Amino acid sequence: MAHKNTILMFLRKSGPMCDDCLSSTTLIRPRQSINSQCRNLTESSQIVRAKYSCPLCHKEKIINSLTGSDYSLNTVNRGARQADEHGDFYQEGKISLTLIEYAVQKLAYMVANGDIQIYNEFSLQHELGIILRGLVTGSLVQFERNVSYFGLTKSEFVKKEIDIVVYDSPSKPQAAIELKFPQNGQHPEQMFKSCKDIVFIEQLKESGFDRAYFIVFADDRLVYEGGGDGIYPYFRSEKKLTGPIRKPTGSRDETVTIRGEYTLKWNEVYGSMKYAIVEAQ
């Protein structure tokens, strides 16, 4: 029991790690004792064991992480397994939801592990773009491309610049990604801007992009928790995002209309940070 408590304490304090690193960190010897104790903890659903790169020694091994922790390795490995099973993780010239989910899960894992930090929308854009460049081959991953670059008329869109775009050539755009990282309060304003982003990705999909996504990270609980009416339930209670949505503050003279139906499903990163992904229908 003492060893189990020690293992749980160090996983809670230091994060996921392999059996070897856990043995070195806890000073529990021999290493086989760690393996046995972790298997028992897995059977009792207290930890999750999955194959991944160990955050400490960076070797591909079975990694231990707390069940129900703020971020579980299981989510990253589930995305990778789905990609292998469906065979569409990435083929040249093709972006899939599986790839985007995996890229975001990898980003969330790196943030939770302290490998990188995201602290505003630009840092989110930068770090996700780096991960995507490592996943796609033969295609460009660029930032802040104007819609006119792809032969589209700016006046027909609710926004002009695309946060992240993946393409082979201007005539063959693969994927557009819009990002939000709400900060500094102004919750209803940020929520309305997110709705505008969803309209934008719908417009891009209708205009020839194979795929288009909206990704939101939030470390402010008031973005995804609490009550309220108007625009709040779309972000706090999984009310379907669809139809006309009026700007909730100021002159309230602006309305955007979402054609599809979307539900924001929040995923844990760590602490109060969560994320959600929407793909344009």
Side-chain angles (χ1 to χ4, degrees):
M1 181 62 72
H3 282 344
K4 289 183 180 179
N5 288 338
T6 300
I7 290 170
L8 292 171
M9 180 186 70
F10 273 89
L11 288 177
R12 188 174 298 110
K13 177 181 177 181
S14 303
M17 66 184 81
C18 68
D19 289 355
D20 287 327
C21 291
L22 196 51
S23 177
S24 299
T25 302
T26 60
L27 301 180
I28 295 176
R29 303 285 193 276
R31 175 194 172 284
Q32 286 76 10
S33 296
I34 290 287
N35 184 277
S36 176
Q37 296 288 351
C38 287
R39 287 179 179 275
N40 290 336
L41 288 168
T42 301
E43 291 177 1
S44 62
S45 300
Q46 295 182 74
I47 70 170
V48 173
R49 285 168 63 82
K51 190 172 183 180
Y52 196 69
S53 175
C54 176
L56 297 187
C57 67
H58 304 293
K59 295 179 180 178
E60 193 82 8
K61 295 181 180 181
I62 298 297
I63 311 302
N64 305 288
S65 63
L66 292 176
T67 300
S69 60
D70 291 330
Y71 187 73
S72 171
L73 286 167
N74 200 34
T75 58
V76 170
N77 286 277
R78 182 172 64 249
R81 286 198 302 273
Q82 288 173 345
D84 291 339
E85 289 168 2
H86 298 312
D88 63 355
F89 184 59
Y90 181 73
Q91 299 171 10
E92 189 164 334
K94 179 182 178 182
I95 296 290
S96 68
L97 175 59
T98 304
L99 182 143
I100 298 299
E101 288 178 332
Y102 179 78
V104 176
Q105 289 166 358
K106 183 173 182 179
L107 172 66
Y109 172 73
M110 295 176 73
V111 170
N113 190 52
D115 295 327
I116 60 175
Q117 292 183 338
I118 54 173
Y119 42 88
N120 56 25
E121 194 169 304
F122 176 77
S123 64
L124 171 61
Q125 182 186 43
H126 178 77
E127 299 295 352
L128 182 58
I130 290 175
I131 291 172
L132 284 171
R133 281 178 176 167
L135 294 175
V136 302
T137 55
S139 299
L140 296 171
V141 177
Q142 294 185 344
F143 308 105
E144 302 298 334
R145 273 294 187 185
N146 194 289
V147 295
S148 61
Y149 181 75
F150 300 98
L152 305 174
T153 304
K154 292 187 288 185
S155 60
E156 297 177 355
F157 293 83
V158 295
K159 295 178 63 177
K160 307 298 183 285
E161 307 287 340
I162 305 169
D163 288 340
I164 299 178
V165 61
V166 182
Y167 67 99
D168 294 327
S169 69
S171 62
K172 294 182 178 179
Q174 292 183 42
I177 300 172
E178 287 299 297
L179 304 167
K180 273 290 172 288
F181 195 109
Q183 293 179 298
N184 303 321
Q186 298 184 326
H187 302 108
E189 292 88 345
Q190 292 298 318
M191 291 171 178
F192 183 73
K193 288 180 179 179
S194 295
C195 294
K196 185 179 285 189
D197 280 342
I198 293 174
V199 172
F200 187 39
I201 65 171
E202 287 185 329
Q203 292 175 331
L204 292 169
K205 177 75 178 293
E206 292 167 1
S207 299
F209 279 74
D210 288 338
R211 304 266 185 161
Y213 305 91
F214 169 67
I215 299 169
V216 54
F217 273 69
D219 58 5
D220 182 345
R221 294 186 184 277
L222 291 178
V223 174
Y224 52 80
E225 289 181 357
D229 52 15
I231 202 168
Y232 291 107
Y234 297 116
F235 293 80
R236 296 177 175 177
S237 62
E238 297 191 358
K239 180 180 178 180
K240 287 189 179 299
L241 271 163
T242 188
I245 297 175
R246 184 180 295 276
K247 187 174 181 290
T249 58
S251 60
R252 305 189 182 190
D253 57 353
E254 184 177 0
T255 299
V256 295
T257 301
I258 297 175
R259 297 185 181 181
E261 290 189 354
Y262 308 96
T263 301
L264 287 180
K265 296 186 179 297
W266 294 98
N267 302 276
E268 304 283 352
V269 181
Y270 81 103
S272 61
M273 186 177 289
K274 294 187 179 184
Y275 73 87
I277 302 175
V278 162
E279 180 179 10
Q281 296 172 358

